[in-house]
């Protein structure tokens, strides 16, 4: 049949186009993106403040300065690492770190999930307009990455700054002399990695699910 | 107008079949229950014709719309578009078909809420690989054609229902499709606005020779149709051609 030759395959758009569209998408829903990013910022700031707080106090303890020890004891910090009180404190800190990780996990997953599920209809519509599944998934990978990276970096900074201020008000500016910078830097990088990966997973799983559906199913999908 | 450029497909005869369904059945399974939305539909749609699909609520019009448009898969039977079995297409061919061959219009417009009218209209062009400049020019032209030349930068929520549906019509024509599929395009509109949309579709149909297939409750649709297919309980109940239609329309208009 003559008409049969007419059927062609859809072109794959270049990555630059996906970057352009997804960047615009984050920009035009700026208000909504801000809320999603805030969710990520809060979660990561919480995680980071717990980690950085522990690191700062440990830094002060390991300084071994009698004057500092006095202040620490006044504030109820156990400086002898072998005492039972210190052991208890350690396990409490570890528990708090795990808890903050969980809060972070749920917070980010929720923020991303909401931002994608409310767009199922849009995904269905894009499929009707001829978008390839892969392209839609690419868009959401990029969007999640933009928001994830922005949110986690801000979160790490916010978390660190707040904890520093808090500890400064307790112990004075001396904390900056004994701050374990490399450890905090390491914690920060971990937090960024965890937050970005979580944002990516939280954003992609629902987008992948919707992109793989028949367009009508995606359009009628309810959250 | 850009739409008139497609001449290469009509070499054979005047009455080439663009869409053909063969014993199409659709069963929705909901737990224990099976819903037979379509019970075997045979339909042929000729190029350039304006076909209305009528029938009571729940008769399977939307389901048929989805099957013909390649938006969902039939449980049984086949859908041919330009003699190609849609079920045989891979993802890339199917996306091409949805992008270039068919334009969709929905009852609830389905515009992307955060995008301007122009961005909505140019989206299918972007998927077709047009550059941003080409897409913008063509988008403005299409929006002007549907009477929204002054509103290209408006977001859907700043437009009335009728205007949103006009944007959706412009979007459906974005890549000069051979077929326009419309599922109750006037369902959410008042009488006059609905009539305007129908006349717009009819005008596009006569001007560009695009085939229009429209599911509808709307008796206003009858007067512009070349053919009306009545669907009932998942089957084609009867088909009325243009000649017979003239008589029927008279009686129906008389009722209104
Ligand atoms: N996704 C679905 N899951 C289960 N049943 C469905 C689904 N979609 C449609 N149906 C059923 O299939 C039948 C036909 O539905 P369809 O939407 O095609 O009717 P319709 O003719 O378009 O009706 P209306 O004029 O009200 O839009 C109905 O009984 C409906 O309940
Ligand atoms: Mg319907």
């Amino acid at each position: 049949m003559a008409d049969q030759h007419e059927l062609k395959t859809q072109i794959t758009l270049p990555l630059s186009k996906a970057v352009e569209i997804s960047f615009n998408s984050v920009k035009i829903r700026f208000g909504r993106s801000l809320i999603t990013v805030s969710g990520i910022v809060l979660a990561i700031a919480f995680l980071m403040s717990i980690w950085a707080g522990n690191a700062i106090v440990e830094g002060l303890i390991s300084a071994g300065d009698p004057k500092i020890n006095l202040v620490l004891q006044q504030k109820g910090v156990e400086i002898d690492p072998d005492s039972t009180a210190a052991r208890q404190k350690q396990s409490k800190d570890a528990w708090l770190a795990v808890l903050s990780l969980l809060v972070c996990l749920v917070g980010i997953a929720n923020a991303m999930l909401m931002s994608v599920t409310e767009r199922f209809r849009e995904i269905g519509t894009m499929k009707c307009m001829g978008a390839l599944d892969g392209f839609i998934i690419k868009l959401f990978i990029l969007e999640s990455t933009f928001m994830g990276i922005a949110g986690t970096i801000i979160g790490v900074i916010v978390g660190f700054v707040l904890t520093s201020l808090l500890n400064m008000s307790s112990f004075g500016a001396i904390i900056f002399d004994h701050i374990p910078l490399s450890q905090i830097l390491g914690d920060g990088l971990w937090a960024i990695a965890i937050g970005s990966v979580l944002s990516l997973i939280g954003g992609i799983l629902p987008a992948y699910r919707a992109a793989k559906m028949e367009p009508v199913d995606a359009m009628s999908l309810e959250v | 107008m850009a739409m008139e450029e497609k001449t290469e497909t009509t070499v054979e005869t005047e009455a080439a079949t663009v869409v053909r369904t063969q014993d199409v059945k659709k069963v929705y399974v909901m737990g224990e229950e099976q819903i037979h939305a379509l019970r075997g539909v045979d339909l042929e749609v000729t190029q350039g014709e304006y076909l209305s699909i009528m029938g009571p609520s729940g008769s399977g019009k939307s389901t048929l719309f989805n099957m013909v448009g390649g938006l969902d898969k039939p449980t049984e039977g086949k859908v041919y578009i330009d003699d190609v079995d849609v079920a045989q297409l891979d993802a890339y061919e199917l996306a091409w078909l949805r992008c270039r061959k068919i334009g969709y219009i929905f009852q609830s417009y389905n515009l992307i809420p955060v995008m301007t009218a122009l961005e909505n209209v140019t989206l299918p062009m972007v998927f077709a690989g047009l550059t941003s400049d080409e897409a913008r020019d063509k988008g403005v032209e299409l929006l002007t054609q549907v009477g929204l030349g002054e509103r290209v930068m408006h977001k859907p929520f700043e437009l009335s229902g009728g205007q949103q549906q006009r944007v959706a019509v412009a979007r459906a024509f974005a890549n000069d499709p051979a077929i326009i599929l419309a599922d109750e395009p006037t369902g959410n509109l008042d009488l006059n606005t609905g009539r305007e949309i129908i006349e717009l579709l009819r005008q596009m149909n006569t001007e560009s020779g695009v085939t229009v297939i429209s599911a509808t409750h709307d008796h206003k649709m009858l007067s512009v149709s070349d053919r009306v297919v009545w669907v009932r309980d998942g089957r084609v109940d009867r088909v009325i051609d243009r000649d017979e239609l003239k008589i029927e329309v008279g009686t129906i208009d008389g009722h209104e």
Side-chain angles (χ1 to χ4, degrees):
Chain A
M1 297 260 148
D3 283 335
Q4 223 141 0
H5 303 296
E6 243 215 307
L7 204 67
K8 303 191 192 93
T9 59
Q10 184 71 310
I11 52 160
T12 309
L13 294 174
L15 187 66
S16 60
K17 199 76 205 174
V19 173
E20 185 192 318
I21 294 180
S22 53
F23 188 73
N24 278 333
S25 176
V26 172
K27 213 171 66 185
I28 49 182
R29 358 181 165 250
F30 185 73
R32 185 64 186 86
S33 308
L34 214 61
I35 293 173
T36 308
V37 170
S38 313
I40 301 172
V41 168
L42 279 179
I44 290 294
F46 181 56
L47 181 70
M48 190 59 196
S49 67
I50 300 288
W51 283 358
N54 287 346
I56 288 174
V57 173
E58 268 165 41
L60 290 177
I61 294 172
S62 58
D65 184 329
K67 263 192 295 194
I68 299 172
N69 285 351
L70 198 68
V71 183
L72 282 171
Q73 272 168 333
Q74 274 168 359
K75 298 282 171 191
V77 179
E78 189 52 62
I79 48 170
D80 179 6
D82 292 328
S83 72
T84 46
R87 289 243 172 75
Q88 269 171 3
K89 168 96 170 64
Q90 265 167 8
S91 69
K92 195 178 129 217
D93 285 349
W95 193 79
L96 212 60
V98 171
L99 189 78
S100 60
L101 206 64
L102 280 176
V103 169
C104 178
L105 198 117
V106 174
I108 291 179
N110 180 54
M112 291 309 301
L113 221 72
M114 286 312 296
S115 74
V116 179
T117 46
E118 67 195 15
R119 287 167 63 193
F120 280 164
R121 190 182 189 78
E122 180 182 329
I123 293 178
T125 307
M126 290 209 287
K127 287 194 73 162
C128 293
M129 305 293 118
L132 291 165
D133 300 359
F135 187 74
I136 293 173
I137 294 166
K138 231 184 265 170
L139 286 185
F140 280 88
I141 290 181
L142 289 166
E143 277 191 40
S144 307
T145 309
F146 293 152
M147 295 201 282
I149 289 179
T152 46
I153 290 178
I154 299 172
V156 163
I157 294 171
V158 168
F160 174 67
V161 169
L162 283 184
T163 313
S164 303
L165 289 177
L166 217 67
N167 280 293
M168 201 172 79
S169 74
S170 305
F171 306 116
I174 191 136
I175 58 162
F176 294 113
D177 298 335
H178 302 287
I179 212 158
L181 264 185
S182 63
Q183 194 196 334
I184 285 185
L185 207 68
D187 285 351
L189 290 178
W190 266 112
I192 290 174
I194 290 171
S196 304
V197 169
L198 280 178
S199 312
L200 206 59
I201 295 174
I204 289 181
L205 286 186
Y208 182 85
R209 184 170 147 240
K212 287 290 170 193
M213 285 181 172
E214 298 294 338
V216 266
D217 296 327
M219 283 192 290
S220 59
L221 210 62
E222 290 298 328
V223 192
Chain B
M1 204 174 65
M3 282 162 218
E4 283 166 350
E5 281 165 19
K6 45 172 74 249
T7 46
E8 76 281 11
T9 55
T10 48
V11 262
E12 294 159 87
T13 50
E14 266 275 25
T17 301
V18 269
V19 177
R20 188 155 54 92
T21 70
Q22 208 174 65
D23 200 27
V24 167
K25 294 180 182 160
K26 180 71 181 181
V27 183
Y28 291 107
V29 183
M30 306 193 71
E32 299 281 285
E33 203 186 346
Q34 288 197 337
I35 298 163
H36 294 264
L38 294 176
R39 298 171 187 270
V41 173
D42 292 283
L43 195 66
E44 281 201 16
V45 186
T46 316
Q47 183 151 30
E49 105 175 297
Y50 192 118
L51 181 88
S52 292
I53 300 173
M54 295 206 85
S57 187
S59 54
K61 301 184 297 294
S62 296
T63 312
L64 185 60
F65 168 92
N66 294 335
M67 302 299 142
V68 169
L71 302 181
D72 203 356
K73 292 198 164 63
T75 317
E76 251 181 79
K78 289 196 186 312
V79 175
Y80 297 92
I81 293 178
D82 277 343
D83 289 304
V84 180
D85 180 0
V86 174
Q88 301 297 320
L89 301 180
D90 65 24
Y92 292 86
E93 291 165 333
L94 197 57
W96 186 89
L97 185 91
R98 290 173 185 150
C99 186
R100 313 291 290 261
K101 199 92 195 171
I102 305 177
Y104 305 88
I105 301 171
F106 303 91
Q107 176 174 354
S108 47
Y109 328 128
N110 281 15
L111 300 177
I112 294 181
V114 293
M115 290 186 178
T116 62
L118 185 60
E119 285 166 336
N120 267 290
V121 175
T122 52
L123 190 66
M125 303 181 201
V126 171
F127 293 144
L130 261 66
T131 67
S132 304
D133 287 345
E134 292 167 338
R136 197 189 49 234
D137 292 347
K138 197 170 170 194
V140 171
E141 190 190 315
L142 280 166
L143 282 166
T144 309
Q145 218 178 320
V146 299
L148 291 176
E150 309 289 301
R151 310 215 174 236
V152 291
M153 287 310 175
H154 287 231
K155 298 260 173 82
F157 68 87
E158 298 164 336
L159 298 170
S160 72
Q163 289 169 335
Q164 289 185 50
Q165 197 61 302
R166 283 169 184 271
V167 177
V169 171
R171 180 179 66 178
F173 279 92
N175 292 320
D176 307 316
I179 306 160
I180 290 287
L181 272 174
D183 188 6
E184 300 199 31
T186 61
N188 286 358
L189 305 175
D190 66 34
L191 208 74
N192 281 328
T193 323
R195 200 187 302 271
E196 280 167 27
I197 293 291
I198 293 166
E199 268 152 24
L200 182 62
L201 278 177
R202 181 63 192 188
Q203 185 199 335
M204 305 282 242
N205 164 258
T206 15
E207 279 174 10
S208 65
V210 66
T211 310
V212 177
I213 305 173
S214 171
T216 182
H217 285 297
D218 196 337
H219 286 278
K220 292 191 293 300
M221 283 273 187
L222 290 179
S223 54
V224 297
S225 307
D226 295 321
R227 207 151 58 102
V228 179
V229 174
W230 294 79
V231 181
R232 199 190 188 126
D233 194 24
R235 287 199 182 86
V236 174
D237 196 31
R238 57 197 174 118
V239 181
I240 305 177
D241 283 324
R242 189 164 183 77
D243 319 332
E244 305 166 57
L245 208 60
K246 291 255 166 59
I247 310 159
E248 296 236 353
V249 169
T251 56
I252 287 164
D253 277 355
H255 279 294
E256 279 182 349

